[in-house]
Amino acid sequence: MPERPQAENAAKAPKAPRSTAAGKAAGKASGKATGSATKKAAAPRRQARGERRIAQLLDAAASVFCRTGYAAASTNAIAREAEVSPGTLYQFFPNKEAIAVHLGDELLRRARDMHGQAFLPENLDKPLPELLDAVLDPVIAFNCENPAFWALMHGSGIPGITQEREELHSGLLERVQGILRTFCPDGSPEELTRVSGMILGIFKAALDLILASEGAERAAYVAELKTVLLRYLEPMLAAPHLH
């Protein structure tokens, strides 16, 4: 009989959980869910930080390419310009060429958008001096604001960028030919191509001088470019056909 109270106490005692494994599993599941939510919340922040770092590196590369040229530039110089370690740079770009291609793609996209604004159809209704202003001003402004564009398009020698540059040049040639065709509908394709090529050649030569100068001197070169093109084109556009 002395054992009975113990049995009754045992019966009255609260039962232990049937299994602690289920509780642990529930805890783990809850932890995983919380961790997953945290990771999802952190992903956009990491992505935003990565995008800012890429933009920082591209800006630094643009400065270095303009200052030294593409051939003399190095990833170490770009990292120093961006105030990051070379290891940080290599997390985003494997080499200098990859940086140049990424930067070139971005600048080419902006250039195409700018050309669309410069060659608006309504500009064709303007007198020649105003037409030159409407077309040349945004093109010159873009190149002055993005000097790395000129440095990469004409100094990198990277096959992909070279091909993109040639396509951009062909597109510009077609746009200029379209303007000439409007004013000189009787001009032959050969004449339109030759004059368009001359216009782009004059522009490129002048752009070298424009980019190498600043302030009043730059403005003077821009004015000279417009004067040259105006005097070159006025007799042609006044005639019934190109000569």
Side-chain angles (χ1 to χ4, degrees):
M1 299 300 296
E3 299 295 329
R4 187 172 179 181
Q6 294 179 3
E8 290 177 352
N9 290 338
K12 292 178 181 180
K15 294 183 179 180
R18 293 179 62 185
S19 173
T20 58
K24 290 180 180 178
K28 287 182 179 178
S30 176
K32 287 180 180 179
T34 303
S36 177
T38 302
K39 288 179 181 178
K40 288 181 179 179
R45 290 196 295 270
R46 287 197 300 272
Q47 182 177 357
R49 284 197 300 270
E51 290 174 354
R52 287 195 297 270
R53 182 68 77 192
I54 289 173
Q56 179 186 4
L57 291 167
L58 293 178
D59 286 343
S63 297
V64 173
F65 293 153
C66 290
R67 186 167 61 246
T68 69
Y70 174 79
S74 67
T75 52
N76 285 342
I78 294 170
R80 281 195 302 271
E81 185 76 19
E83 298 182 343
V84 301
S85 68
T88 298
L89 182 149
Y90 289 127
Q91 289 178 11
F92 298 94
F93 298 104
N95 51 44
K96 179 179 70 172
E97 182 174 332
I99 299 174
V101 169
H102 194 117
L103 178 61
D105 287 345
E106 175 62 21
L107 291 173
L108 280 163
R109 181 188 63 77
R110 294 184 206 167
R112 291 190 179 97
D113 291 342
M114 173 271 300
H115 289 160
Q117 293 300 314
F119 291 90
L120 291 173
E122 52 264 36
N123 289 340
L124 296 177
D125 297 328
K126 298 177 179 179
L128 183 56
E130 294 179 20
L131 172 60
L132 289 174
D133 288 340
V135 173
L136 292 175
D137 286 348
V139 178
I140 293 171
F142 172 82
N143 281 277
C144 291
E145 292 166 5
N146 301 278
F149 177 75
W150 192 254
L152 282 177
M153 293 302 107
H154 300 277
S156 69
I158 299 172
I161 291 180
T162 300
Q163 180 181 351
E164 291 278 3
R165 182 197 70 203
E166 291 174 353
E167 292 175 359
L168 188 70
H169 176 81
S170 297
L172 276 175
L173 199 63
E174 290 179 5
R175 289 177 185 272
V176 174
Q177 287 174 352
I179 292 176
L180 291 175
R181 192 175 296 110
T182 299
F183 288 97
C184 306
D186 295 330
S188 69
E190 293 78 14
E191 290 172 322
L192 294 174
T193 298
R194 182 174 61 253
V195 173
S196 298
M198 182 62 71
I199 290 171
L200 289 184
I202 293 170
F203 173 77
K204 288 180 180 179
L207 190 58
D208 275 332
L209 297 170
I210 291 169
L211 292 177
S213 58
E214 295 180 355
E217 189 69 9
R218 173 175 287 179
Y221 275 121
V222 171
E224 289 295 317
L225 168 62
K226 292 178 180 179
T227 299
V228 169
L229 289 177
L230 183 64
R231 291 178 179 174
Y232 175 57
L233 290 171
E234 267 185 329
M236 299 180 191
L237 301 188
H241 58 81
L242 294 173
H243 297 285

